[in-house]
Amino acid sequence: MEFFKYKQPIDFMGKSKIAMAVSIILILASYAILATKGLNYGIDFAGGTIVQVKYDTKAPIKAMREKLQADKLFDGASISEFGSPDEVVIRMKTSSASVAKDIGDVARAALQGTGNFTIRRVDIVGPKVGSELKEKGLMALFLSIAAILVYVAFRFEWRFAVASIAALVHDVSIAMGAVALFQIDVNLDVLAAILTLLGYSLNDTIIVFDRIREGITKSKKANLTEIINESITRTLARTTLTSLTTFFVVFTLFMFGGEIIHAFAFTLLVGIIVGTYSSIFVASPLLILFGFDVKNYHAKLAEKAKREAEKNRMREQFESGVM
């Protein structure tokens, strides 16, 4: 079975203006959401304490709140379901100042009388550690983008590098906008999803760019738009199949992977959709916008081939002893 059997080039670039307008609207909306609602930093970055409690029946959240109000340690704590009605997490913005005090024991004592339960997990991150994690996470993100920029510029040409980075910024902006919109807890797993998204989206873009470069090199056409349309059409089946299989795997994780992996899967789901879209409708049209000239590229290739031929001729003469 073959998806999108190649018959003739599809006019993707003819719709690029509409696609770019949609992208700009989505990016602006994402930044507006980030500015107004902000990111909901989890304890990995903001610091605090999480206590996961599992009951043998439905968790009595109202009774739990009443019990916890009696202890100042739980001031401002929030309680929410964690994957199923019988399991909840208690989130506190503070962490115990004393290492001798076990938060699990304190929570167990405070919740006495609310039913049969077990404390399954206690995570504590101090504010200083959270701040360091945030700083190092951002540094990892920027270093990744810088390394990608250098690699693509070396492997292709600077316009390809800038276009691919612009597409990545587009993907990350929209993914973070969605995370802010749904107030997903931003922890290390979301950062891992963003870094994974960078690699996934770049892989898609590189495959399209590689076919475009091949088309530019082999084709006698001088029209970049026609070459891009043909290149994207020829890679469309591969792009669609890869994206769909990845999407289904991540969607399964999102639906059945449990609460612990929910934020990672959600961020990646949004990233796969916008990453596939951007490799076709954002990165490629930017090459045209940046003024990539096919004739100049052919002239550079001819000059490079001429230099290589001259080097080979001189090497052969040197090896045969004829100067």
Side-chain angles (χ1 to χ4, degrees):
M1 186 170 63
E2 186 176 353
F3 285 96
F4 305 114
K5 188 174 181 180
Y6 182 85
K7 294 178 182 174
Q8 60 181 12
I10 301 172
D11 185 19
F12 288 104
M13 294 304 100
K15 301 169 183 63
S16 63
K17 289 183 179 175
I18 298 173
M20 292 291 270
V22 171
S23 291
I24 290 170
I25 291 170
L26 286 175
I27 290 173
L28 292 177
S30 298
Y31 287 147
I33 292 168
L34 286 167
T36 53
K37 298 190 78 169
L39 291 172
N40 183 28
Y41 288 112
I43 67 162
D44 286 351
F45 295 132
T49 306
I50 282 184
V51 181
Q52 185 177 338
V53 186
K54 181 174 175 55
Y55 281 82
D56 57 358
T57 57
K58 185 179 179 181
I61 293 179
K62 187 178 177 183
M64 291 175 71
R65 287 201 178 103
E66 290 173 356
K67 289 280 187 180
L68 294 180
Q69 281 174 359
D71 193 324
K72 287 185 179 179
L73 183 65
F74 296 98
D75 278 352
S78 64
I79 304 173
S80 56
E81 285 187 3
F82 190 73
S84 59
D86 61 346
E87 200 155 359
V88 295
V89 290
I90 304 167
R91 290 184 172 85
M92 293 176 284
K93 294 180 180 178
T94 57
S95 53
S96 173
S98 171
V99 293
K101 183 184 285 186
D102 188 323
I103 297 289
D105 290 341
V106 176
R108 193 176 290 109
L111 294 174
Q112 285 298 322
T114 58
N116 295 323
F117 64 86
T118 54
I119 304 293
R120 304 194 72 180
R121 175 170 62 112
V122 178
D123 290 340
I124 303 172
V125 177
K128 188 176 180 182
V129 175
S131 176
E132 285 180 7
L133 286 173
K134 190 192 297 182
E135 188 180 318
K136 289 180 179 177
L138 287 173
M139 187 184 295
L141 192 63
F142 288 125
L143 285 177
S144 303
I145 291 176
I148 289 169
L149 182 66
V150 172
Y151 169 74
V152 180
F154 173 75
R155 184 80 171 73
F156 291 88
E157 202 236 6
W158 71 268
R159 292 178 184 84
F160 285 84
V162 176
S164 63
I165 294 299
L168 291 181
V169 171
H170 165 276
D171 300 345
V172 172
S173 300
I174 295 175
M176 293 309 292
V179 168
L181 177 65
F182 291 99
Q183 289 293 287
I184 304 290
D185 282 355
V186 179
N187 284 311
L188 287 174
D189 51 350
V190 171
L191 177 63
I194 292 295
L195 292 174
T196 307
L197 165 62
L198 289 181
Y200 177 84
S201 178
L202 182 69
N203 183 51
D204 249 8
T205 305
I206 289 292
I207 287 171
V208 173
F209 277 180
D210 202 41
R211 184 55 71 99
I212 291 173
R213 185 178 60 176
E214 187 182 331
I216 292 171
T217 306
K218 292 183 177 178
S219 174
K220 293 180 180 178
K221 293 176 183 175
N223 190 322
L224 182 60
T225 301
E226 291 180 9
I227 294 172
I228 290 177
N229 280 335
E230 185 166 343
S231 301
I232 293 176
T233 307
R234 288 188 181 280
T235 57
L236 190 60
R238 181 263 169 212
T239 302
T240 308
L241 285 173
T242 306
S243 300
L244 278 178
T245 50
T246 313
F247 179 87
F248 289 141
V249 169
V250 179
F251 184 71
T252 306
L253 281 177
F254 178 75
M255 293 298 294
F256 306 109
E259 194 71 23
I260 202 85
I261 205 168
H262 190 265
F264 176 85
F266 174 81
T267 310
L268 213 49
L269 269 182
V270 177
I272 289 170
I273 295 169
V274 294
T276 305
Y277 163 83
S278 71
S279 65
I280 296 173
F281 289 110
V282 176
S284 302
L286 284 177
L287 289 177
I288 301 172
L289 196 66
F290 291 156
F292 186 88
D293 193 298
V294 178
K295 286 183 179 176
N296 284 343
Y297 191 74
H298 282 161
K300 287 180 183 175
L301 289 179
E303 185 64 28
K304 186 179 177 183
K306 188 178 175 183
R307 287 199 302 271
E308 288 294 325
E310 182 64 19
K311 281 183 185 176
N312 289 334
R313 187 183 66 78
M314 292 181 69
R315 188 181 298 113
E316 287 172 2
Q317 285 182 346
F318 179 77
E319 289 174 353
S320 62
V322 178
M323 295 297 291

